[in-house]
Amino acid sequence: MSPALRTALLTALTLCCFAANSILTRLALRGDGMDGLAFSMIRIAAGALMLALLLSRRSAGRRALAGDWPSALALVVYAAAFSVAYRSIPSGTGALILFGVVQVTMIGTGLVQGERAPWQVWLGVLLSVAGLLVFLLPGLQRPPLAGSLLMLAAGIGWAVYSLRGRGNRDPLAATAGNFVRALPLALLPWLLVGEWALDARGVICAIASGALASGLGYALWYTVLPALTALRASLVQLAVPLLVSAFGVLFLDETAGARLLAGSALIVGGLALATLYRARRAAG
């Protein structure tokens, strides 16, 4: 197999893993599914175990856990809000809100910190914010506001986690360490305010989400990332919310209404415009 084909296949598999997180979570939690806090706790536990196993297979000098507690807290905020939000909102809508908030927050942080940006970046951010407002403004087919706001919080949590992780010399060790630290932080809110009822489908989905879609997915991403240019790495991630929307229609009987289509066009189109320019500038 040629290196280019191997990179393409691994990239496609990685994006499917990332998209599977939304599908598995929505499948477990829609309707009268299991408690969202329990789901996030099991997901983090399964992810921590998978990442620790992957780390243990490396050479002896590279097995130490890294990461830090603030990053672990941001990870828990993301995972808990993500899970609870999916009790009420469709998978495609949730993925678009999450992805839009993450990217707008990260791009906006750069702008606030003094990064010089041309009109293309500003226009891309404004289009993406307009796409987010499509899901939040009142009207026909608006997703539940509480779930949408929770997904906004999840996006901010993941953006903070991603910003803190930039420049990690050993991303796998840092991710494994953050997942291990996040486990007691995720367990506490479930013990205090979560529901104790668990169902088999929800537990299986949580384990698959943590071990395969999260743990293995992140490991695959770090494997393929060195083979991608900054431009390609930025652009391929735009496929994730679109994959989630398609999988939601195929596997969860969700509908692609006008609000979803309009929000998708604005968010993905705006982020494509912004990240295309920023990645080209970084590559150049």
Side-chain angles (χ1 to χ4, degrees), residues 233-258:
S234 298
L235 291 180
V236 295
Q237 295 180 71
L238 296 176
V240 174
L242 300 181
L243 282 173
V244 173
S245 298
F247 290 164
V249 173
L250 290 174
F251 302 120
L252 300 177
D253 297 323
E254 296 177 353
T255 58

Side-chain angles (χ1 to χ4, degrees), residues 29-236:
L29 300 178
R30 64 176 178 173
D32 296 325
M34 70 183 295
D35 176 53
L37 295 177
F39 183 95
S40 64
M41 184 271 297
I42 296 172
R43 176 189 174 188
I44 288 175
L49 179 59
M50 173 62 77
L51 289 163
L53 288 173
L54 292 173
L55 199 63
S56 70
R57 296 177 61 85
R58 304 201 311 187
S59 59
R62 303 178 63 212
R63 294 180 182 175
L65 295 173
D68 55 72
W69 286 102
S71 295
L73 179 60
L75 177 62
V76 171
V77 170
Y78 149 73
F82 178 89
S83 299
V84 176
Y86 266 136
R87 294 203 70 171
S88 60
I89 62 176
S91 59
T93 299
L96 282 163
I97 294 174
L98 175 76
F99 189 84
V101 170
V102 169
Q103 297 299 322
V104 167
T105 302
M106 294 182 70
I107 294 172
T109 298
L111 297 177
V112 169
Q113 291 177 347
E115 179 181 315
R116 297 181 62 184
W119 66 268
Q120 292 97 327
V121 174
W122 285 105
L123 178 59
V125 171
L126 290 175
L127 287 174
S128 299
V129 171
L132 293 172
L133 291 176
V134 166
F135 293 113
L136 299 178
L137 293 176
L140 187 65
Q141 296 181 331
R142 187 187 76 176
L145 182 60
S148 299
L149 293 177
L150 280 170
M151 196 59 79
L152 283 170
I156 293 172
W158 187 252
V160 171
Y161 180 82
S162 300
L163 288 168
R164 290 188 57 83
R166 288 192 302 186
N168 278 333
R169 295 183 178 180
D170 192 343
L172 182 60
T175 305
N178 289 330
F179 265 75
V180 170
R181 289 180 177 87
L183 184 54
L185 299 179
L187 179 62
L188 183 60
W190 177 55
L191 293 176
L192 292 177
V193 298
E195 300 173 8
W196 288 83
L198 302 175
D199 69 343
R201 183 185 68 182
V203 171
I204 292 172
C205 287
I207 293 173
S209 175
L212 301 179
S214 297
L216 188 58
Y218 298 151
L220 286 171
W221 180 243
Y222 299 140
T223 298
V224 76
L225 197 56
L228 299 175
T229 64
L231 175 58
R232 289 179 179 174
S234 298
L235 291 180
V236 295

